[in-house]
Amino acid sequence: IEEQEPRKSKDERKFTQSRLLFFQSFFNCPWSNRCMMTFKVKPPMALFCTFFMCVLYPTYGNDQVFSSTDKVSILGCKLYNNCNGHGKCKYNYNECECQEGYGSPREIAMLGFRPSYDCSKKVCQFGYAWGDQPQPNSTASLSHTDKAHEQKECSDMGICDREEGLCECFVGYRGSSCNKRACPGKGDCSGHGKCVSMAVQTRMPDALPLTNANNKTSSGYYEPGGHQGSTWDSDRLFGCVCDSSWPVGLGAGETQQPEWFGADCSLKRCPTGNNPGTNSIDETDGFGKTAEGGNGVGKAGNKIHVDCSGKGRCDFKSGTCQCFAGYYGENCGIVDAKSIGT
């Protein structure tokens, strides 16, 4: 006798039919802005089809199934906490479109990834990347638009704190988007200088190397209206302009060297004076002398700083002279006639 397959219960038959409807609807569901079909599945779950997709959701009773008009309340962005108040819900796709600062479409395109689907994570500020492949300047125009590098979060020199939306910059970088190089020295220039950008230094008559400028608003390295003023790093690279108790420059009454010097302004010059061994030549006279760097010449009345008058060793940490034998004084400029005579 041929063994017959056990007869399925009524509920099992309904569930099998629902599964068939599920697969049929998955492939045949028409495109529409509203749900076109509703199929019951084994309670307490129900199913409706929209946008070529079958969506499964719980029912509140064996006979209750949500209609197509309930789609907004069923789907929406409830799973994403309604975008946390930082975006709008795209109901057709059941996803959030976040605001600027929380992963907007523009920011996602720039990041290359999505910080969060519920708009709960913040995006940090962007800056021109320090380390990506540079792009060549335009040869068709010198229109101050060439920036060389792509915009990157934290300029690719920091880590974004997604909770605060602030960049945590790597050592040596600072700024809201880690877009600035920090100056050397403890506390910026060791407390003996100003930390300024290259763009600013080009307009400072006392910034080294000194140049003969046509006026005190520009130097030989910067031509107003010229293309060199728009270099991508002109306002990102910073350096120290060291302090001095005397005026620095190439003009009359100015000295070509500042009192404090070094990349971090941590070194101090010793008292200056003319070398007593060269009476026929004033070594402190800067007139016609080319300044260090070779880009400027001292005018009449200009001075050159000569540590310890050339007759001693300068301790640049303390700014004091250790005079050679036969010479003394604060700047070693006084000759000990007795010592030299013997």
Side-chain angles (χ1 to χ4, degrees):
I1 300 175
E2 184 177 351
E3 186 175 347
Q4 295 183 354
E5 183 179 352
R7 185 178 180 82
K8 294 183 179 179
S9 66
K10 184 177 179 180
D11 289 338
E12 288 177 325
R13 290 198 301 275
K14 283 185 177 180
F15 183 65
T16 301
Q17 292 172 356
S18 297
R19 287 192 297 174
L20 289 174
L21 287 171
F22 176 86
F23 288 110
Q24 291 173 1
S25 64
F26 184 83
F27 291 104
N28 300 320
C29 184
W31 181 271
S32 173
N33 287 334
R34 301 172 62 84
C35 179
M36 302 300 295
M37 302 180 186
T38 303
F39 300 102
K40 277 192 176 182
V41 188
K42 193 171 183 179
M45 302 301 292
L47 159 77
F48 70 84
C49 175
T50 185
F51 288 96
F52 295 99
M53 295 178 63
C54 292
V55 181
L56 199 65
Y57 61 90
T59 63
Y60 293 107
N62 292 342
D63 297 326
Q64 181 179 358
V65 177
F66 289 102
S67 68
S68 59
T69 57
D70 295 318
K71 183 183 65 173
V72 171
S73 62
I74 297 168
L75 297 176
C77 295
K78 289 184 177 180
L79 292 177
Y80 301 121
N81 198 29
N82 293 318
C83 308
N84 288 291
H86 301 301
K88 63 181 181 180
C89 184
K90 298 174 67 176
Y91 292 103
N92 290 348
Y93 301 97
N94 309 318
E95 66 179 19
C96 295
E97 183 176 296
C98 302
Q99 300 171 351
E100 287 285 319
Y102 290 89
S104 67
R106 181 188 69 87
E107 290 169 335
I108 292 173
M110 294 176 71
L111 288 170
F113 64 90
R114 190 167 188 162
S116 66
Y117 285 90
D118 60 358
C119 306
S120 62
K121 303 297 183 183
K122 293 183 179 180
V123 175
C124 291
Q125 290 194 31
F126 289 81
Y128 292 106
W130 288 100
D132 68 347
Q133 183 174 355
Q135 303 298 317
N137 285 341
S138 171
T139 57
S141 171
L142 301 181
S143 58
H144 291 217
T145 58
D146 297 315
K147 292 301 180 183
H149 295 269
E150 297 292 334
Q151 290 268 348
K152 298 291 183 180
E153 192 176 34
C154 301
S155 305
D156 267 354
M157 279 299 169
I159 298 174
C160 181
D161 182 342
R162 298 283 174 211
E163 301 301 321
E164 300 294 332
L166 299 175
C167 291
E168 298 176 356
C169 302
F170 300 149
V171 175
Y173 296 86
R174 64 182 182 182
S176 58
S177 61
C178 306
N179 59 325
K180 298 176 180 178
R181 285 293 302 267
C183 282
K186 185 177 180 180
D188 272 356
C189 307
S190 308
H192 298 297
K194 299 178 289 292
C195 183
V196 294
S197 68
M198 289 195 306
V200 173
Q201 287 192 39
T202 60
R203 297 170 175 83
M204 297 177 68
D206 58 342
L208 302 181
L210 298 176
T211 63
N212 290 115
N214 295 327
N215 54 62
K216 291 202 172 186
T217 61
S218 65
S219 75
Y221 287 122
Y222 180 82
E223 180 182 346
H227 184 57
Q228 59 267 51
S230 67
T231 55
W232 75 277
D233 54 358
S234 63
D235 58 352
R236 294 160 58 89
L237 290 179
F238 282 66
C240 294
V241 177
C242 300
D243 295 335
S244 182
S245 59
W246 55 78
V248 178
L250 296 170
E254 296 177 332
T255 302
Q256 295 186 10
Q257 297 83 13
E259 179 179 8
W260 294 89
F261 70 104
D264 59 355
C265 301
S266 62
L267 304 176
K268 185 179 182 181
R269 297 190 187 277
C270 290
T272 184
N274 183 39
N275 190 328
T278 57
N279 294 327
S280 61
I281 301 175
D282 184 0
E283 295 186 356
T284 64
D285 184 9
F287 175 59
K289 301 287 182 63
T290 301
E292 185 178 354
N295 294 286
V297 178
K299 297 180 181 179
N302 187 243
K303 295 291 183 180
I304 290 178
H305 191 93
V306 182
D307 288 310
C308 305
S309 306
K311 292 299 183 180
R313 183 178 295 109
C314 180
D315 180 356
F316 292 121
K317 290 185 178 180
S318 63
T320 57
C321 293
Q322 297 175 346
C323 299
F324 300 150
Y327 299 91
Y328 66 98
E330 184 183 40
N331 66 351
C332 303
I334 303 175
V335 179
D336 186 348
K338 293 181 181 181
S339 175
I340 293 179
T342 58

